Amino acid sequence: MYEGKAKILYEGSDPGTLIQYFKDDTTAFDAGKTAVLSGKGAVNNRISGFVMARLSAIGVQNHFIKRLNQREQLIRKVEIIPIEVVCRNIAAGSLSQRLNLPEGEWLPHPLVEFFLKDDKLHDPMVATEHITTFEWASSQEIDQIKVLTLRINDELGKVFEAVGITLVDFKVEFGRVWDGETSRIILADEISPDSCRLWDSATNKKLDKDRFRRNLGDVIESYTEVAQRLGV
């Protein structure tokens, strides 16, 4: 049904479901840098499935139903809201560049930012006023997304802290599930080292996609280390 940079979506066997296939394709800088990293999709499938199940257990509704095999998950079909939501605990990446902040500086509190999901425009940062003006989401939906994002941040921080990993920041997406004329917001897409910055708590060694972005090497080894620490 759809192929993105890192995943393929197929029609599921039951109504309202899809099969999400994790590819080995890896991209950075709006696909300006690409590579195929053997095994990446399988590792991300395991990590994302584990994290989504943990979030379900604390009441954060998401699209994950179950992992089918090494590379595929059964998920709920959702109407994706075209906004990427980034939650930051520590200055890194584009935040450091935009505001001239030293990488590694802890923020006073978690910071939630919104970006329009559009590679051709390089995913520009947008304000809540943009989101409501162009009807990408309503004010009520934005409030729900903020609450859910901060709850996700709190739980993920604990999950990773328990295995010696610091959650620097992460990107998530949300979608609508419809029941007649009413809808509810749920978490979608994936949560993995592709979409999170994860640093070893003792050494600050990067265990995430920055290893690919910055040519640090050992990308799959670092992703696998995250999976092994989580026990998946």
Side-chain angles (χ1 to χ4, degrees):
M1 293 186 65
Y2 171 80
E3 181 170 1
K5 291 177 289 187
K7 294 180 292 296
I8 303 174
L9 296 178
Y10 300 97
E11 191 71 52
S13 56
D14 297 322
T17 66
L18 297 171
I19 293 172
Q20 180 170 250
Y21 176 92
F22 286 75
K23 304 194 296 183
D24 286 341
D25 297 49
T26 306
T27 67
F29 312 121
D30 297 323
K33 181 179 181 180
T34 64
V36 177
L37 301 176
S38 179
K40 190 205 76 166
V43 176
N44 280 352
N45 183 25
R46 297 203 308 270
I47 294 172
S48 189
F50 170 80
V51 171
M52 292 291 190
R54 283 292 298 262
L55 293 173
S56 292
I58 65 163
V60 175
Q61 296 183 31
N62 59 74
H63 73 171
F64 179 75
I65 299 174
K66 64 179 179 180
R67 190 157 63 91
L68 297 174
N69 51 49
Q70 279 196 328
R71 290 182 177 273
E72 294 178 330
Q73 297 177 359
L74 183 66
I75 62 172
R76 293 177 180 84
K77 185 185 293 187
V78 304
E79 176 191 317
I80 289 290
I81 294 171
I83 298 296
E84 294 184 346
V85 184
V86 175
C87 185
R88 304 180 186 275
N89 299 301
I90 296 173
S94 64
L95 181 66
S96 291
Q97 296 166 8
R98 278 186 277 125
L99 302 182
N100 195 29
L101 297 173
E103 183 169 89
E105 179 179 300
W106 279 87
L107 304 178
H109 56 78
L111 174 66
V112 177
E113 298 179 325
F114 299 106
F115 299 83
L116 177 63
K117 185 177 168 65
D118 191 324
D119 285 345
K120 293 180 181 179
L121 298 176
H122 306 293
D123 301 329
M125 188 177 182
V126 293
T128 56
E129 288 81 3
H130 292 102
I131 298 173
T132 55
T133 296
F134 297 110
E135 299 183 343
W136 298 321
S138 67
S139 296
Q140 183 180 18
E141 288 174 329
I142 294 170
D143 290 342
Q144 292 174 18
I145 286 170
K146 285 181 179 177
V147 169
L148 285 170
T149 300
L150 292 173
R151 192 172 181 193
I152 292 165
N153 183 56
D154 184 61
E155 181 65 13
L156 291 188
K158 294 175 184 175
V159 168
F160 286 117
E161 182 182 23
V163 296
I165 296 174
T166 300
L167 177 64
V168 176
D169 58 39
F170 63 93
K171 184 271 292 182
V172 285
E173 297 179 22
F174 293 88
R176 301 179 185 91
V177 175
W178 289 89
D179 181 13
E181 297 297 316
T182 62
S183 66
R184 54 191 169 90
I185 299 293
I186 69 170
L187 175 65
D189 197 41
E190 70 173 294
I191 295 179
S192 73
D194 265 7
S195 59
C196 303
R197 280 192 173 88
L198 304 170
W199 294 355
D200 179 87
S201 298
T203 66
N204 282 345
K205 174 187 175 184
K206 294 173 174 58
L207 302 171
D208 54 68
K209 195 175 178 179
D210 272 348
R211 302 204 67 83
F212 175 70
R213 294 186 186 98
R214 303 185 183 189
N215 299 313
L216 299 176
D218 296 331
V219 179
I220 297 303
E221 292 81 358
S222 297
Y223 281 35
T224 301
E225 181 177 341
V226 172
Q228 289 174 340
R229 291 200 198 185
L230 293 173
V232 300

